[in-house]
Amino acid sequence: MRRLGSTHVNSWGATASSISLLRPERPSRPVSVPSQPQALTFDLARTAIIVIDMQNDFCHPDGWLASIGVDITAARRPIDPLKTLLPALRKHDVPVIWLNWGNRPDRLNLPPSVLHVYDPAGEDKGIGAAIGSTDRKVLEDGSWNAAIIDELEVDPEDIHISKYRMSGFWDTPLEAILKNLRVDTLLFSGVNSDQCVLSTLTDAGCLGYDCILLDDCSATTSPDFCQDATVYNVRQCYGFVASGSDLAKNLIR
């Protein structure tokens, strides 16, 4: 019997004369970590990590945020914890999903409300604007600006999704991909924790996913109280807050 599906875990059994809708069984692979508001155990076999917006425009000294005077020190804090955690997760076959801004060059799928966030006076200084040269366009799909920073190694098996809103669930294939991966638990990391990370996490919680914010693997260039409020709201309303470093230690043992 052959398997019919884009992933093994969400595939049918198929022959010329019959179809089996029974999906392959997956043994549980539990792992425990300290977390808030309670200690947490989850199943690595039903887990994926979403890494949000660790891109040159947000995290590189020559990127967009730095060019407009934003201190990107905080945006670079997740780099070292992720450099340790991501390889450990891959060794346990946990899918790594890179969820990044990657806009159309013509910006036809972006409403004024999205453009206004980054260009409030309409001066063409936000998404799609050129930085220094015509081939350096802010968060444009395929550009250096939208690329993942070099410090984070990308594996050929990793999954890449472009997004066009604060939440990665709008106008993207993220939910369809998660269904084909047959995951229940999502680890959240990246920048900015109070904006795109929280927006995506909130939507995931509303869709019924188990949500874990990795506080050392996420950060924001916003004032400190924004990070504090994000951590409070996640543990109070949407899921759990844990340390990616604690998780990595438990995976590497």
Side-chain angles (χ1 to χ4, degrees):
M1 182 172 286
R2 298 183 180 88
R3 304 309 304 179
L4 176 64
S6 59
T7 64
H8 180 73
V9 295
N10 191 30
S11 62
W12 296 347
T15 70
S17 60
S18 67
I19 289 288
S20 170
L21 302 183
L22 300 179
R23 270 67 168 180
E25 293 185 7
R26 282 184 290 172
S28 293
R29 291 182 279 122
V31 63
S32 298
V33 290
S35 73
Q36 299 177 15
Q38 297 148 291
L40 186 62
T41 299
F42 60 95
D43 186 358
L44 291 171
R46 303 299 296 262
T47 298
I49 185 169
I50 302 180
V51 187
I52 299 175
D53 291 352
M54 295 300 294
Q55 300 168 265
N56 288 325
D57 262 345
F58 296 124
C59 305
H60 194 283
D62 295 328
W64 172 49
L65 287 191
S67 77
I68 59 175
V70 175
D71 182 356
I72 62 165
T73 302
R76 295 182 60 79
R77 286 178 190 149
I79 293 174
D80 284 342
L82 284 171
K83 285 171 68 174
T84 301
L85 177 62
L86 294 181
L89 288 171
R90 291 188 187 105
K91 287 181 179 179
H92 287 267
D93 297 322
V94 174
V96 175
I97 300 173
W98 300 93
L99 180 64
N100 294 328
W101 283 96
N103 298 289
R104 291 169 55 98
D106 58 18
R107 301 183 291 182
L108 281 175
N109 62 326
L110 299 179
S113 59
V114 172
L115 295 172
H116 172 264
V117 174
Y118 305 105
D119 188 16
E123 298 172 324
D124 196 26
K125 293 182 178 179
I127 292 174
I131 297 182
S133 62
T134 56
D135 62 343
R136 291 275 302 275
K137 298 292 184 67
V138 172
L139 296 176
E140 185 173 292
D141 190 33
S143 70
W144 174 90
N145 303 62
I148 298 165
I149 56 173
D150 287 340
E151 291 93 331
L152 292 177
E153 184 176 350
V154 179
D155 188 87
E157 298 299 316
D158 292 349
I159 300 163
H160 299 265
I161 302 173
S162 293
K163 66 180 179 66
Y164 322 103
R165 302 290 190 273
M166 294 290 186
S167 170
F169 281 97
W170 288 90
D171 197 22
T172 78
L174 176 58
E175 187 175 7
I177 288 171
L178 294 176
K179 287 180 178 178
N180 269 319
L181 294 174
R182 298 195 74 202
V183 297
D184 302 314
T185 300
L186 300 177
L187 307 172
F188 286 90
S189 63
V191 297
N192 279 305
S193 51
D194 58 327
Q195 298 171 24
C196 293
V197 177
L198 181 60
S199 295
T200 306
L201 185 153
T202 301
D203 279 348
C206 291
L207 289 166
Y209 290 97
D210 313 324
C211 298
I212 305 171
L213 176 67
L214 302 177
D215 58 356
D216 58 338
C217 295
S218 59
T220 181
T221 55
S222 303
D224 290 344
F225 66 81
C226 297
Q227 177 72 9
D228 294 341
T230 297
V231 170
Y232 175 84
N233 281 319
V234 170
R235 73 180 185 227
Q236 182 71 19
C237 301
Y238 301 114
F240 303 88
V241 179
S243 163
S245 298
D246 285 341
L247 175 58
K249 290 176 185 175
N250 290 347
L251 295 177
I252 294 170
R253 285 177 183 170

